[in-house]
Amino acid sequence: MELKGIAASAGYALGHVCFLKEISNDFAATVLPEQREAERERFLAAQVKARLALEELKEKAAKTMGAHQAEVFAAHQMMLEDPTLMEGIFEKIDSASASAEAAVSETVETIAAMFSAMNDDYMRERAADIKDIGLRLLRILQGIEDAAAYQGILAAQDLLPSDTASLDLDKVFGFVTALGGKTSHSSILARAAGIPAVVGLGAQLAELKDGDMLIVDGHAGSVLVNPAQEVIEEYRLRQQREKQLAARLAEIAHLPSVTTDGYEVELAANIGTPENMTKAVAAGAEGVGLFRTEFLFLDKTSVPTEEEQYQAYKTVLEALPKGKIVIRTLDAGGDKQLSFIGGLKEENPALGLRAIRLCLVYRDVFKTQLRALLRAGVHGNLHIMFPMIATLEELRTAKSLLQEAAAELTAEGVVHRKDVPVGIMVEVPAAAMLADELAQEVAFFSIGTNDLVQYTMAADRMNEHVATLSDYFQPPVIRLIGQVAKAAERHGKWVGMCGEMAGDVLSTPLLLGLGLTELSMNARSIPLVKYRVRQLQQTDAKELAEQVLKLSTASAIKAALENFSTRFAD
Amino acid sequence: MTQEMTLNIQNQAGVHARPAAMLAQKAAEFKSQILIHKADRQANAKSIISIMGLGIQCGDQVILKVEGPDAELAVGALSQLVNDKFGEA
């Protein structure tokens, strides 16, 4: 039997299925009056266990996921012992002889409903926190084992953040879930941990029985149930080949990324928090091509201080003291709302006040960031990058604010870097068309393909109905990239790319042929891209690029690239 | 002993999770019963959930009502926290 789902995380996993035990809803709603005292005791015992589990999660999160996640669990701990929650629960047990389960779930529902009804996005999201606490208590009350005990291929309706945080990832080697998509929490975690996963199986999940032998094909998005012996052999072989390739990739991890005819490309990492640096360095990143600074700002109730930002930037710069570190200034607005600015209601947020546009309005916020960047600049090879520049005026205003920040620091006698190279992200067609003029006033370009595709094709990148348009192999996108690269070359500036396309090994020869000299991607993609770069000849890549620029459909372009890459089949 | 004080919330983001946690933690240090009133609603100041439920925003006026042996100390400590904008801008 074969089940079809969504390929959420690549790789093959073979093993027995093990179901995440779900909470049962058919617990007794009430108990006898004389059992009230016992129910109170059951709740208090569950609360103690939950507190200890959260304490453990908090410590684990602080080490592996960063301070922010740890803060979330600390907040959960506080809520767990909150008098409103406890009074609600005791009241239900005492006055209505509710069972501990019923008292917990009703009280949590009431509180969650209160948060959900509030006129504030931030507060509405707190409903999820209280529900998570409720589920944790219910599990303990129902004697459901801790997620850390699971082994094999884990099957579940969906995985909660607190489930996945407590799994022992040395014992769980695949996920299959009924719900979720490529960007759901469980998928992101699976990819980060390198565990094959197929999600979105829907009702098909019910076909599985505890102990079934499964093959999870994270490339094809399929799950084979109790396959024949020869199929198992075949997949073991594929798994082995994948491991061999991984071993070869590990061998070249720290060799230079240079083509057989000597064209050097810098492979850099995209990172979201300073903690990501460890992985980036391990994957062989020579630098950071995109450090998204949003994590400092999103979910925060106040503007992060200059000192807080300085420390974060310094950490990243010091992790790769010689590598080039491109830090992007605050890219918020649109789908990334800042709670301290307040809900900005826009008809078309993607076309509204976001990225550099937002920063040029909230200048205090921007200036604080620029000051922190300049101060951190003395600790490494800092490059500053402005997102979503569309006009020369925007660039000039942003640069003059940077100069103001530097002048302030000088006047205050604060140590800072004076010669930080400044570049822009090219992610709107306007910037690509103005590339010649912009190139004269920047040190570099970095092409942000995700937004460039969205704005060139006028197709929302999150909208599945227009997914075929949202494709970086669409000819207009490729041509704009070529145009930007040419403009940069004419003015002696370097040009890189950050975004999905940079990490797609199929596009590597094309990007080199177009003249890009830096590719920045998720750390996990670096080894394979480097492997490909080292097999390539730049002269061939140039020929390929010239041919591709003449093609007029995305499918023709993809076919040409696939055809080209067959010569590297290993 | 009963104490009452009117406070103006001035931190930009209002009383979100972090300030609510600070308030609840501080309130829990006192024996007195502490209530926060906003318009016609009230919250137990020792409960982060209850405080957050008021949805207090920047510019709101709240009344602190404290009853108990250490009421005076409690009012002083809590009003200081609010007036310091919870250490935020």
Side-chain angles (χ1 to χ4, degrees):
Chain A
M1 185 170 47
E2 184 179 343
L3 314 179
K4 288 300 272 179
I6 298 164
S9 175
Y12 306 105
L14 287 79
H16 293 282
V17 66
C18 127
F19 279 90
L20 183 76
K21 296 219 179 60
E22 313 277 347
I23 290 164
S24 147
N25 283 321
D26 48 359
F27 45 77
T30 55
V31 294
L32 297 170
E34 56 267 34
Q35 289 173 314
R36 287 174 186 168
E37 188 54 37
E39 288 305 287
R40 283 163 151 270
E41 293 295 326
R42 282 184 65 220
F43 164 71
L44 287 170
Q47 192 189 35
V48 170
K49 278 194 182 171
R51 183 193 312 142
L52 295 175
L54 282 169
E55 187 61 39
E56 221 171 274
L57 274 179
K58 194 173 72 182
E59 279 163 23
K60 204 167 138 190
K63 276 183 222 136
T64 58
M65 286 184 281
H68 179 68
Q69 273 300 322
E71 253 175 57
V72 171
F73 293 123
H76 281 197
Q77 264 182 325
M78 243 189 117
M79 286 192 177
L80 179 69
E81 299 185 18
D82 191 275
T84 304
L85 179 73
M86 292 181 62
E87 279 161 21
I89 290 168
F90 286 140
E91 210 266 329
K92 288 191 174 60
I93 296 176
D94 291 341
S95 69
S97 300
S99 67
E101 284 92 337
V104 167
S105 88
E106 283 166 29
T107 309
V108 161
E109 277 309 316
T110 311
I111 296 171
M114 172 191 82
F115 281 129
S116 301
M118 286 175 77
N119 188 18
D120 178 333
D121 286 340
Y122 173 84
M123 286 298 188
R124 276 200 290 272
E125 283 163 22
R126 303 283 72 75
D129 292 334
I130 191 81
K131 281 185 182 164
D132 198 302
I133 293 162
L135 288 175
R136 182 177 299 283
L137 286 168
L138 283 179
R139 278 217 178 118
I140 297 172
L141 285 168
Q142 297 187 350
I144 293 172
E145 60 197 301
D146 194 51
Y150 291 106
Q151 254 195 75
I153 292 171
L154 191 64
Q157 285 298 312
D158 198 8
L159 293 166
L160 289 172
S162 58
D163 290 329
T164 46
S166 37
L167 288 177
D168 181 345
L169 296 177
D170 290 327
K171 287 195 232 145
V172 173
F173 34 90
F175 290 161
V176 292
T177 65
L179 304 175
K182 259 193 196 301
T183 54
S184 64
H185 180 82
S186 43
S187 306
I188 292 168
L189 180 98
R191 282 196 296 272
I195 291 175
V198 173
V199 303
L201 287 170
Q204 299 171 91
L205 193 77
E207 312 264 334
L208 301 180
K209 289 184 303 296
D210 227 337
D212 275 345
M213 167 73 194
L214 296 191
I215 297 175
V216 177
D217 183 341
H219 297 283
S222 59
V223 179
L224 305 177
V225 187
N226 296 323
Q229 195 55 41
E230 57 265 31
V231 179
I232 295 181
E233 291 308 321
E234 144 87 25
Y235 273 89
R236 283 209 197 285
L237 214 65
R238 286 198 204 182
Q239 203 180 26
Q240 216 169 23
R241 260 187 258 134
E242 216 168 58
K243 278 192 186 138
Q244 280 163 358
L245 177 61
R248 275 210 292 277
L249 296 183
E251 271 169 34
I252 62 155
H254 296 281
L255 294 176
S257 48
V258 54
T259 62
T260 53
D261 53 349
Y263 183 76
E264 260 183 79
V265 184
E266 187 180 344
L267 299 186
N270 293 345
I271 62 169
T273 63
E275 287 84 14
N276 296 155
M277 282 305 284
T278 326
K279 266 190 194 160
V281 174
E286 292 155 60
V288 169
L290 171 64
F291 174 28
R292 305 184 178 94
T293 54
E294 291 84 85
F295 84 99
L296 284 160
F297 296 84
L298 300 172
D299 294 336
K300 290 291 157 70
T301 54
S302 57
V303 183
T305 63
E306 181 179 315
E307 188 60 27
E308 201 180 324
Q309 294 189 52
Y310 164 75
Q311 292 298 341
Y313 306 150
K314 177 171 174 258
T315 306
V316 171
L317 286 159
E318 285 178 341
L320 263 175
K322 288 198 187 112
K324 188 184 75 200
I325 309 287
V326 180
I327 303 188
R328 176 173 75 184
T329 57
L330 178 61
D331 184 8
D335 55 347
K336 292 179 274 186
Q337 285 295 330
L338 295 173
S339 53
F340 53 83
I341 283 176
L344 204 61
K345 294 277 177 284
E346 293 179 291
E347 200 70 33
N348 286 308
L351 304 180
L353 192 63
R354 48 171 297 206
I356 196 69
R357 303 171 180 180
L358 187 82
C359 285
L360 295 183
V361 172
Y362 293 92
R363 292 197 180 187
D364 292 352
V365 177
F366 191 42
K367 273 280 267 300
T368 306
Q369 182 172 41
L370 295 175
R371 285 174 56 106
L373 282 168
L374 289 171
R375 284 175 53 202
V378 299
H379 301 287
N381 186 7
L382 172 69
H383 287 54
I384 294 177
M385 174 159 80
F386 300 129
M388 219 188 164
I389 293 282
T391 68
L392 274 169
E393 286 85 349
E394 285 170 343
L395 173 63
R396 287 174 186 157
T397 312
K399 281 172 73 175
S400 74
L401 289 169
L402 183 67
Q403 269 167 10
E404 266 177 41
E408 281 173 23
L409 292 170
T410 307
E412 293 162 24
V414 179
V415 183
H416 65 281
R417 258 279 289 287
K418 298 189 169 61
D419 56 345
V420 180
V422 174
I424 62 167
M425 268 184 98
V426 177
E427 45 189 343
V428 293
M433 299 178 78
L434 205 63
D436 261 312
E437 288 80 358
L438 289 164
Q440 295 171 46
E441 304 190 18
V442 296
F444 64 92
F445 286 143
S446 182
I447 302 171
T449 45
N450 302 352
D451 269 329
L452 185 61
V453 171
Q454 158 163 285
Y455 295 125
T456 304
M457 302 307 296
D460 181 348
R461 61 199 236 205
M462 305 302 278
N463 184 340
E464 55 188 290
H465 302 294
V466 292
T468 46
L469 291 171
S470 282
D471 181 351
Y472 43 70
F473 291 127
Q474 288 287 356
V477 177
I478 305 287
R479 291 179 197 181
L480 284 177
I481 295 169
Q483 217 171 302
V484 172
K486 279 230 161 63
E489 195 191 346
R490 271 196 288 276
H491 299 280
K493 307 294 164 70
W494 64 265
V495 56
M497 173 179 283
C498 49
E500 290 301 311
M501 189 180 192
D504 179 351
V505 71
L506 189 61
S507 62
T508 308
L510 172 64
L511 298 177
L512 261 59
L514 290 172
L516 272 68
T517 54
E518 183 232 44
L519 299 175
S520 190
M521 62 200 81
N522 285 332
R524 293 187 65 82
S525 307
I526 292 177
L528 195 58
V529 171
K530 184 180 282 187
Y531 188 61
R532 181 56 37 90
V533 168
R534 292 177 58 85
Q535 291 172 313
L536 267 175
Q537 205 173 332
Q538 160 73 350
T539 49
D540 291 346
K542 268 198 161 148
E543 244 172 68
L544 171 75
E546 267 165 44
Q547 181 207 338
V548 164
L549 283 172
K550 290 184 197 132
L551 298 173
S552 43
T553 65
S555 50
I557 291 176
K558 236 174 281 180
L561 297 179
E562 272 159 12
N563 180 44
F564 186 83
S565 64
T566 52
R567 68 175 75 177
F568 305 114
D570 32 35
Chain B
M1 190 158 62
T2 310
Q3 290 269 324
E4 212 175 289
M5 188 182 240
T6 303
L7 296 169
N8 292 306
I9 303 298
Q10 289 156 4
N11 56 313
Q12 251 184 36
V15 183
H16 271 177
R18 203 181 70 93
M22 291 171 78
L23 212 52
Q25 264 165 350
K26 185 52 85 184
E29 289 172 16
F30 299 96
K31 288 198 186 80
S32 300
Q33 187 200 46
I34 308 174
L35 296 174
I36 302 176
H37 292 256
K38 183 193 142 186
D40 57 342
R41 294 194 298 145
Q42 62 171 42
N44 174 0
K46 294 178 183 178
S47 160
I48 175 173
I49 292 174
S50 183
I51 298 172
M52 282 167 65
L54 289 181
I56 303 169
Q57 313 222 327
C58 187
D60 280 350
Q61 203 172 61
V62 299
I63 301 167
L64 212 57
K65 285 189 183 163
V66 189
E67 202 182 321
D70 49 8
E72 206 166 330
L73 287 173
V75 167
L78 295 177
S79 61
Q80 194 188 348
L81 205 54
V82 171
N83 293 334
D84 288 350
K85 301 183 191 176
F86 303 95
E88 295 173 354

